[in-house]
Amino acid sequence: MEHVSPLIIRLNTLHQELAAELQAIKTIAEFEAIRNKFIGKQGSITIESKNIKDLSLEEKRTTGSIVQDIRKKVEELIEHTQQQLITRLQQEVELQKQFFDVTAYTTNALESSVHPYTRVIQDLEDITMNMGFEIIYGMELETEFANFEALNIPVDHPARESHDTFWLTLPGKLLRTHTSNVQSHMLQERKPPFAITTMGRTYRNEATDATHDYMFMQFEIMIIDTKQSLSNLIAIAQEIFRCFFKNNELKSRIRPGFFPFVEPGIEVDIQCPFCQNGCSICKRTTWIEAGGAGLVHPNVLELCGVDSTKYTACAFGFGLTRLVMLKYGINDVRLLHGCSLDFLKQF
Ligand code: PHE
């Protein structure tokens, strides 16, 4: 009987063990573990094959090619099993997709809701777009020029004091203190006539309480054309508030106001949407301050490269944060800017 080297016997046994173990695998991880166990660097077949070096020259000659054959079969087996496994897993995924029930009930599903800010912004965008305004997304990081100088607020102007500014460490750069910065950009970039609206965050270094935060949102409109009037601006503002509060009778009133970048300047109040004779929201006055407005100062037009003898512009800037608080009866701005899910879930 032909002599079979013990090395070959051991390798054959390992080959059989490998085949048996591969039969039972279900996952890629299991497959990888078995492959490592047998043919990894420290795998049993790898180590056993190395023993060939201890054989005599004669034995090496006879066994060498057999060892090669066994190794080849082992590799083919592993390759084949891997292919089969991948195909099977892909089929399982396909099958699961077929039976995926989109209506299946799940517990603990998280319900989401739209933030009150988002709702109000969407409302105002709808209203103003329907009136023909173009929506501009302005910048919150701003230059001193666009936020102040171009708006007729030079370095020594007292109005700067009311805009407690967050200055950046970069010279001449700041967090915008109002959305009027968009006015100066648009006047420099666009050729009149145009009508724009913009909304977004503004920052002032103020102490925080129920009605103040260092970040608040504003909503701004500007129209520039050869003939613009204050009465047109007031009518537009009133119409926007009527649409926003869904009340066609809602009145507004104006008072003189000072903003360096408008002349004349006015403050606009709207009739309290919640009462007839005074309530806690309007502090018993039946009026609510909405924001500032006016005809854009000729200095601003000229500083931005627009011919002030040819064009007139009007603008208003209103507190968007205040509108959100009014619309949803929120009495503490910190709640609106916080991340309490219990609070936000109510909307
Ligand atoms: N930017 C002004 C403010 O923040 C509001 C305003 C805008 C006034 C446009 C007049 C015209 O108070």
Side-chain angles (χ1 to χ4, degrees):
M1 203 180 105
E2 199 189 328
H3 169 73
V4 181
S5 148
L7 172 65
I8 302 291
I9 296 175
R10 286 198 298 273
L11 277 177
N12 272 331
T13 316
L14 286 173
H15 183 193
Q16 277 161 17
E17 273 174 30
L18 169 72
E21 287 195 30
L22 283 179
Q23 290 244 312
I25 55 155
K26 291 203 170 51
T27 64
I28 296 279
E30 282 170 6
F31 166 79
E32 296 287 356
I34 293 172
R35 178 166 58 187
N36 244 334
K37 179 172 159 196
F38 287 90
I39 62 159
K41 262 197 185 143
Q42 298 300 321
S44 49
I45 293 181
T46 316
I47 288 173
E48 193 60 57
S49 313
K50 283 186 186 153
N51 288 337
I52 198 164
K53 67 179 188 316
D54 300 331
L55 300 183
S56 68
L57 207 61
E58 175 62 26
E59 277 176 316
K60 270 189 194 151
R61 207 169 288 140
T62 48
T63 8
S65 67
I66 307 178
V67 171
Q68 291 270 318
D69 277 355
I70 299 175
R71 299 244 8 189
K72 199 165 162 233
K73 278 193 202 136
V74 163
E75 257 146 43
E76 278 167 6
L77 175 66
I78 283 180
E79 177 88 0
H80 178 69
T81 315
Q82 187 180 24
Q83 279 311 324
Q84 269 187 333
L85 179 65
I86 290 172
T87 317
R88 201 173 70 218
L89 290 176
Q90 279 170 347
Q91 281 167 352
E92 275 173 21
V93 171
E94 285 307 313
L95 211 65
Q96 271 173 8
K97 274 195 213 157
Q98 268 179 36
F99 294 108
F100 182 73
D101 180 0
V102 286
T103 66
Y105 173 74
T106 78
T107 51
N108 299 331
L110 265 181
E111 268 183 37
S112 61
S113 61
V114 178
H115 196 281
Y117 263 132
T118 312
R119 282 172 197 255
V120 165
I121 288 172
Q122 282 169 353
D123 277 0
L124 289 171
E125 285 185 348
D126 274 354
I127 295 168
T128 49
M129 274 203 299
N130 282 334
M131 293 170 100
F133 285 91
E134 181 189 348
I135 293 170
I136 303 291
Y137 298 97
M139 289 187 292
E140 291 174 28
L141 288 185
E142 201 34 288
T143 59
E144 186 176 0
F145 180 76
N147 193 83
F148 288 132
E149 272 149 39
L151 294 174
N152 206 22
I153 317 178
V155 177
D156 50 357
H157 199 288
R160 285 220 187 177
E161 269 163 41
S162 64
H163 290 234
D164 319 87
T165 310
F166 282 114
W167 291 94
L168 303 193
T169 44
L170 297 166
K173 299 276 178 5
L174 46 84
L175 291 180
R176 69 171 171 191
T177 58
H178 50 181
T179 43
S180 304
N181 68 327
V182 177
Q183 285 188 35
S184 40
H185 283 289
M186 289 298 110
L187 288 172
Q188 287 176 88
E189 286 164 23
R190 295 273 175 100
K191 215 184 129 30
F194 59 81
I196 55 120
T197 173
T198 186
M199 297 161 215
R201 295 188 186 90
T202 55
Y203 302 84
R204 290 186 199 180
N205 193 356
E206 291 190 349
T208 305
D209 62 26
T211 50
H212 297 88
D213 205 350
Y214 52 82
M215 187 288 288
F216 54 100
M217 291 227 204
Q218 282 191 341
F219 155 52
E220 185 116 356
I221 268 183
M222 181 174 66
I223 310 167
I224 178 161
D225 206 337
T226 44
K227 267 197 185 130
Q228 274 304 313
S229 68
L230 211 51
S231 50
N232 187 34
L233 180 67
I234 296 165
I236 289 171
Q238 174 154 295
E239 186 58 22
I240 290 174
F241 287 122
R242 286 184 173 176
C243 295
F244 182 73
F245 287 107
K246 299 193 170 52
N247 174 357
N248 271 338
E249 308 296 319
L250 198 79
K251 292 195 182 68
S252 48
R253 71 173 187 187
I254 56 169
R255 291 174 286 121
F258 175 74
F259 303 93
F261 40 95
V262 285
E263 182 58 41
I266 55 171
E267 303 237 15
V268 182
D269 296 341
I270 51 166
Q271 194 192 352
C272 179
F274 307 103
C275 71
Q276 307 262 301
N277 304 313
C279 66
S280 60
I281 295 172
C282 60
K283 300 193 189 100
R284 319 252 158 240
T285 62
T286 73
W287 294 101
I288 289 176
E289 279 178 33
L295 289 183
V296 177
H297 199 294
N299 283 0
V300 175
L301 298 182
E302 294 296 335
L303 279 163
C304 296
V306 176
D307 183 351
S308 65
T309 57
K310 192 167 167 202
Y311 293 107
T312 42
C314 58
F316 71 61
F318 290 154
L320 183 77
T321 298
R322 160 168 293 204
L323 283 184
V324 177
M325 291 171 75
L326 281 176
K327 183 136 189 177
Y328 293 100
I330 300 166
N331 56 14
D332 192 329
V333 69
R334 291 164 295 191
L335 282 171
L336 188 61
H337 294 165
C339 295
S340 156
L341 283 184
D342 284 339
F343 170 76
L344 293 171
K345 263 190 220 154
Q346 301 171 73
F347 302 98

